[in-house]
Amino acid sequence: ILGLFISLLSRAVHIPVVTWFLHNFERTDDLKIFPGKGALFFFAGSIIALYMYGVQIASACILILAVGDSINVLIGKPFGKIPNPLHSKKMIEGSIAGFIASFIVASFFVPLMPAIIASAVAMLIESIDFGRLQINDNVLIPVFAGMVLYFLI
């Protein structure tokens, strides 16, 4: 609730530390409409995963989201050459790097094969362009990765 309040407040008022983070890490479109959207949906997805799957699976899901989604952007944007057929603004190289990083960190909490499959599903979800549906992948990734892990473990 505090995060949502700060998000709404930051649209009208300059909050020194919050504004710096928003201007350095937030997407330009979200800055005007819903500042902090990614972080708030990350938190929501994490809470949903904890509620649905328990600590072990949720920990793996949260790491898949945090590491996989971040590496995807860090590698895909500057180094990507092959467009992802599921989303015109994303690159295959980013998805592959996100997948590798995801299953490595997830394997600290769950067995290797379920970690690989859940990471593949998560990066597939991350790659889909949901268009007008406006579904945030920060909620979908932990939910779907958790579902895979729940059935495989």
Side-chain angles (χ1 to χ4, degrees), residues 30-50:
D30 290 341
L31 249 173
K32 298 171 190 163
I33 300 166
F34 191 173
K37 176 181 173 183
L40 289 169
F41 280 108
F42 179 97
F43 182 73
S46 300
I47 294 297
I48 292 167
L50 276 166

Side-chain angles (χ1 to χ4, degrees), residues 68-120:
D69 203 22
S70 300
I71 295 295
N72 189 339
V73 174
L74 290 172
I75 299 298
K77 283 206 187 260
F79 304 111
K81 303 275 190 254
I82 305 166
N84 190 319
L86 300 174
H87 196 299
S88 61
K89 294 180 181 177
K90 298 187 180 183
M91 301 293 158
I92 291 289
E93 295 87 348
S95 295
I96 292 169
F99 161 71
I100 293 168
S102 292
F103 86 74
I104 289 171
V105 296
S107 67
F108 286 106
F109 291 92
V110 296
L112 185 61
M113 192 52 67
I116 290 171
I117 296 168
S119 296

Side-chain angles (χ1 to χ4, degrees), residues 3-77:
L4 186 58
F5 174 74
I6 291 172
S7 171
L8 295 172
L9 184 63
S10 69
R11 289 176 57 193
V13 178
H14 173 76
I15 308 168
V17 175
V18 173
T19 302
W20 183 87
F21 273 99
L22 289 173
H23 284 284
N24 285 292
F25 297 108
E26 187 64 84
R27 292 183 177 127
T28 310
D29 297 342
D30 290 341
L31 249 173
K32 298 171 190 163
I33 300 166
F34 191 173
K37 176 181 173 183
L40 289 169
F41 280 108
F42 179 97
F43 182 73
S46 300
I47 294 297
I48 292 167
L50 276 166
Y51 179 76
M52 290 177 70
Y53 307 117
V55 175
Q56 180 187 8
I57 290 175
S59 297
C61 294
I62 293 166
L63 283 173
I64 288 171
L65 172 59
V67 174
D69 203 22
S70 300
I71 295 295
N72 189 339
V73 174
L74 290 172
I75 299 298
K77 283 206 187 260

